[in-house]
Amino acid sequence: MPDTQRKILVTSALPYANGPIHIGHLVEYIQTDIWVRFQKQRGHSCHYICADDAHGTPIMLRAQQEGITPEQLISDTWTQHNADFAGFNVGFDNFYSTHSDETREYAELIYNRLNERGHIHSKTITQAYDPVKQMFLPDRFIKGECPKCGAADQYGDNCEVCSATYSPTDLINPVSAVSGEKPIEKDSEHYFFKLTDFEAMLKEWTRSGHLQDQVANKLSEWFETGLQDWDISRDAPYFGFEIPNAPGKYFYVWLDAPVGYMGSFKNLCDRSELDFDDYWAKDSSAELYHFIGKDIMYFHALFWPAMLTGAGFRTPTAIFAHGFLTVNGEKMSKSRGTFIKARTYLDHLNPEYLRYYFAAKLSNRVEDIDLNFEDFCQRVNTDLVNKVVNIASRCSGFISKRFDGKLADACSEPALFADFISASDEIADLYETREYSKAMRAISALADKANQYIDEKQPWVLAKQEGSDAELHAACSVGINLFYLIAAYLKPVVPEMVAKAEAFLNIDTMAWPTDWQPLCAHRINKFKPLLTRVDNDKLAALVEASKQNLEKTPTSAPAKTTDKAKTAEPALIDFEDFAKIDLRVARIEKAEHIEQADKLLRLTLSLGDQQRQVLAGIKSAYTPEQLEGRLTVIVANLKPRKMRFGVSEGMVLAAGPGGKEIWLLSPDDGATPGMKIK
């Protein structure tokens, strides 16, 4: 037990109950779980809670599509999520749902307190309304052309081509993503949280050590532009909690989502001897930590602490943000099979591989990490199997066969054992500060040292020499004891492997190594493989299965506001519509940069008897010098479009996933400007 036992409550962001868990999500849950397991191994009172985020328009519409109730949808999803997390050894003390009596109780309590203290006001706003579905449309359920650059098929809150942000009422030719009809404008009374009432408090709080410096610096932009009151209501039909004394008005999902932390913990308290107020009261001495993705920081670091303060609750001790996951250096891709569901991974590979690999990549900074499959195999096979597991396998056979499974009566290398113990504080500090990659390097260095010791002693040679039994016994016993410490240091990361190691060592559950003594005159069990090498064939099968699974997965309703994922399903058109498109060969006479435009180039195109100006979003892939003089293909009968940087009189045809991978469609060299493509 530690000298002073800490009381700690830890949360991860709530997964949205509108789809499966994938490996990108798992970065956060594995990061959090490692930290929690470390705290528990140190003997602290640490509780890890989470819940499915179960409210909002996307869930309501998804349930309608599937012909079931929202309650059935979120129940089925909860079962899937719970199984996936368990499969990756994510050890929640409680995994609950925001659609619960406890969350409703605290959402209403917080709202009522804020309202009584003058932090809520109402006003009439104009919103987009679907006249067919008879519902107000969230921003992400409206599509149209960007009012800044004219890009088609953009959502109602921001443009993914030029990154502009705007109101959905600014979209050109908007349509409802639900019915396909043009939205109309309709007035509605909405309720707002006066975030401005907490500006001074938030300025101080965000700079008082509760956030990473990168996050605090980013949030300062909100104060520079001025805090805005936050719309916390939505109109029926909506799946969520109705606002007290406001029939037909519901809490916006982002109001009750963080309250779900309180609801999940209250549910745990009611099933145990924990006291809710010990952790959430304003004068609580307990520690409260939120692990979240960088994309939802402002909800957690501005709205949430302001709500808690206004309602008389404590604020978080700290909020830890992490970056996103890329795979083989790129965003997860459905076509490449790198958009991998948790369940698909579990069907093919050991979850401990991924836990270790993420630990080997994670730091306490807000940085994206990359899952490179080649590196993945090498790290797991080299660090865990060849180094760590190999220590036990190299020594255990001699102990079992020659010494009846019993370790030597005394440790022949007390200084070496003490050296491994002395690493405890450094490794503990690295876990505590979430510098997991540095912790894995420190542990790997110990494994190198242990293997070096075994190489020097050469037990396989000693075993063949007469009169060397004592030396062989001593050397192998030291090797087992060094493995004993290394396994203890790795326990937060690979708990399943270490549980097998505990069974092999014939010991109780390992605490954190502090003043440990070597295992002497101790009987161990017969060694069984603790972890096998990554099978390249299984890894290839995982990638292939991910391609197949995702191709068969039906398109669901859009995710929550912060989910920028778009479906890749093409909209089908009739042949008559396609036949209307006039494709022509054009020569790029001139190409030039556009000041303040991040992605657009201005092209002057010759069609033989006429010239056109086209603004093309290909700047990331081409320089003007690469384009001038070459032939391309354009849609010649596209209506001119007024854009932020001028009028575009057509569209050049290109393909590719984006970034530097954009390829203009080029006709044969024999083509001439103005030639029609058939």
Side-chain angles (χ1 to χ4, degrees), residues 378-551:
Q378 183 174 349
R379 280 182 187 260
V380 171
N381 294 341
T382 300
D383 294 358
L384 285 183
V385 181
N386 294 353
K387 286 186 181 181
V388 177
V389 174
N390 195 40
I391 298 168
S393 64
R394 294 174 85 184
C395 299
S396 60
F398 296 114
I399 297 292
S400 177
K401 295 175 184 177
R402 301 283 286 267
F403 307 105
D404 195 27
K406 190 176 181 181
L407 300 178
D409 292 342
C411 178
S412 62
E413 299 284 350
L416 181 58
F417 187 85
D419 186 39
F420 274 51
I421 286 288
S422 68
S424 171
D425 288 344
E426 177 197 357
I427 295 172
D429 183 64
L430 293 173
Y431 272 123
E432 179 71 40
T433 57
R434 307 174 322 286
E435 290 282 12
Y436 299 162
S437 60
K438 292 181 180 179
M440 295 308 101
R441 288 198 293 272
I443 297 169
S444 184
L446 293 179
D448 286 336
K449 191 176 293 187
N451 279 297
Q452 183 181 356
Y453 169 81
I454 296 169
D455 289 340
E456 290 173 353
K457 292 297 181 180
Q458 295 184 305
W460 54 91
V461 174
L462 292 172
K464 297 176 182 178
Q465 297 176 349
E466 280 193 39
S468 298
D469 277 5
E471 191 177 353
L472 174 65
H473 198 191
C476 290
S477 297
V478 168
I480 294 295
N481 270 291
L482 298 182
F483 168 77
Y484 172 40
L485 292 174
I486 292 169
Y489 291 138
L490 280 172
K491 186 172 181 177
V493 178
V494 282
E496 190 173 303
M497 187 189 92
V498 175
K500 294 178 182 177
E502 290 167 341
F504 156 65
L505 293 170
N506 192 26
I507 58 173
D508 294 332
T509 300
M510 294 181 190
W512 187 258
T514 49
D515 55 355
W516 281 12
Q517 298 300 314
L519 298 172
C520 296
H522 175 82
R523 192 174 300 280
I524 61 174
N525 292 315
K526 187 176 180 180
F527 179 81
K528 297 179 181 178
L530 306 178
L531 194 73
T532 57
R533 294 169 61 85
V534 178
D535 186 324
N536 286 323
D537 290 341
K538 290 183 178 179
L539 180 58
L542 167 63
V543 173
E544 188 61 31
S546 297
K547 292 179 185 177
Q548 295 170 356
N549 287 349
L550 284 156
E551 286 169 1

Side-chain angles (χ1 to χ4, degrees), residues 40-214:
K40 291 182 176 182
Q41 192 179 359
R42 295 276 280 178
H44 297 303
S45 176
C46 185
H47 307 283
Y48 181 19
I49 55 98
C50 194
D52 264 344
D53 184 359
H55 289 156
T57 303
I59 285 174
M60 177 183 73
L61 294 177
R62 170 80 178 274
Q64 290 177 5
Q65 290 175 357
E66 297 190 8
I68 58 177
T69 65
E71 288 82 1
Q72 184 62 53
L73 173 65
I74 63 176
S75 175
D76 293 345
T77 303
W78 182 91
T79 300
Q80 296 165 9
H81 286 183
N82 204 39
D84 289 345
F85 287 132
F88 279 90
N89 298 316
V90 176
F92 296 119
D93 292 287
N94 196 39
F95 184 69
Y96 204 39
S97 170
T98 58
H99 191 64
S100 67
D101 292 338
E102 296 91 341
T103 303
R104 182 197 297 271
E105 174 190 343
Y106 283 103
E108 291 181 353
L109 176 62
I110 288 173
Y111 171 81
N112 286 333
R113 286 183 179 178
L114 294 174
N115 194 28
E116 290 164 3
R117 297 169 187 180
H119 301 307
I120 303 291
H121 72 96
S122 64
K123 67 178 180 181
T124 299
I125 64 171
T126 301
Q127 291 179 279
Y129 184 83
D130 188 321
V132 176
K133 289 292 186 178
Q134 296 187 346
M135 60 179 288
F136 287 97
L137 294 169
D139 296 349
R140 300 289 287 178
F141 284 82
I142 308 169
K143 288 187 174 183
E145 299 165 16
C146 172
K148 305 294 184 181
C149 73
D153 199 32
Q154 298 304 307
Y155 286 118
D157 53 358
N158 75 288
C159 176
E160 295 183 347
V161 176
C162 72
S163 300
T165 58
Y166 41 75
S167 168
T169 56
D170 296 330
L171 276 176
I172 301 170
N173 299 323
V175 295
S176 166
V178 183
S179 69
E181 290 294 315
K182 180 178 180 179
I184 62 174
E185 292 186 355
K186 189 173 181 179
D187 291 343
S188 176
E189 183 182 28
H190 271 228
Y191 293 84
F192 289 79
F193 172 50
K194 297 180 182 178
L195 190 62
T196 49
D197 289 354
F198 300 90
E199 183 165 355
M201 168 260 161
L202 289 171
K203 281 184 176 179
E204 179 181 359
W205 190 86
T206 56
R207 290 294 184 181
S208 300
H210 302 290
L211 308 172
Q212 294 131 299
D213 289 341
Q214 295 165 272

Side-chain angles (χ1 to χ4, degrees), residues 601-615:
L601 292 177
R602 179 178 286 109
L603 307 181
T604 301
L605 305 175
S606 171
L607 277 75
D609 59 348
Q610 59 177 295
Q611 282 193 336
R612 298 279 185 89
Q613 173 182 273
V614 171
L615 306 185

Side-chain angles (χ1 to χ4, degrees), residues 276-462:
F276 182 88
D277 290 336
D278 283 350
Y279 291 81
W280 287 98
K282 192 172 184 178
D283 59 353
S284 169
S285 60
E287 301 169 49
L288 171 62
Y289 300 100
H290 298 311
F291 284 75
I292 63 167
K294 62 183 179 181
D295 56 328
I296 55 173
M297 175 51 68
Y298 57 98
F299 287 108
H300 284 78
L302 292 177
F303 302 161
W304 180 229
M307 286 168 53
L308 290 169
T309 299
F313 290 102
R314 57 87 51 83
T315 55
T317 306
I319 300 174
F320 302 136
H322 61 83
F324 299 141
L325 177 71
T326 58
V327 180
N328 291 335
E330 300 176 339
K331 290 183 179 180
M332 291 188 294
S333 165
K334 296 180 179 181
S335 62
R336 295 185 181 93
T338 56
F339 193 104
I340 300 170
K341 298 178 190 176
R343 182 49 48 186
T344 309
Y345 179 99
L346 291 170
D347 288 341
H348 292 84
L349 294 176
N350 189 323
E352 304 260 284
Y353 297 160
L354 194 65
R355 288 181 64 99
Y356 180 80
Y357 188 77
F358 282 170
K361 304 285 279 188
L362 281 163
S363 71
N364 61 11
R365 294 174 296 281
V366 190
E367 297 176 342
D368 295 350
I369 66 170
D370 184 55
L371 168 56
N372 178 280
F373 289 144
E374 183 178 346
D375 184 44
F376 171 82
C377 292
Q378 183 174 349
R379 280 182 187 260
V380 171
N381 294 341
T382 300
D383 294 358
L384 285 183
V385 181
N386 294 353
K387 286 186 181 181
V388 177
V389 174
N390 195 40
I391 298 168
S393 64
R394 294 174 85 184
C395 299
S396 60
F398 296 114
I399 297 292
S400 177
K401 295 175 184 177
R402 301 283 286 267
F403 307 105
D404 195 27
K406 190 176 181 181
L407 300 178
D409 292 342
C411 178
S412 62
E413 299 284 350
L416 181 58
F417 187 85
D419 186 39
F420 274 51
I421 286 288
S422 68
S424 171
D425 288 344
E426 177 197 357
I427 295 172
D429 183 64
L430 293 173
Y431 272 123
E432 179 71 40
T433 57
R434 307 174 322 286
E435 290 282 12
Y436 299 162
S437 60
K438 292 181 180 179
M440 295 308 101
R441 288 198 293 272
I443 297 169
S444 184
L446 293 179
D448 286 336
K449 191 176 293 187
N451 279 297
Q452 183 181 356
Y453 169 81
I454 296 169
D455 289 340
E456 290 173 353
K457 292 297 181 180
Q458 295 184 305
W460 54 91
V461 174
L462 292 172

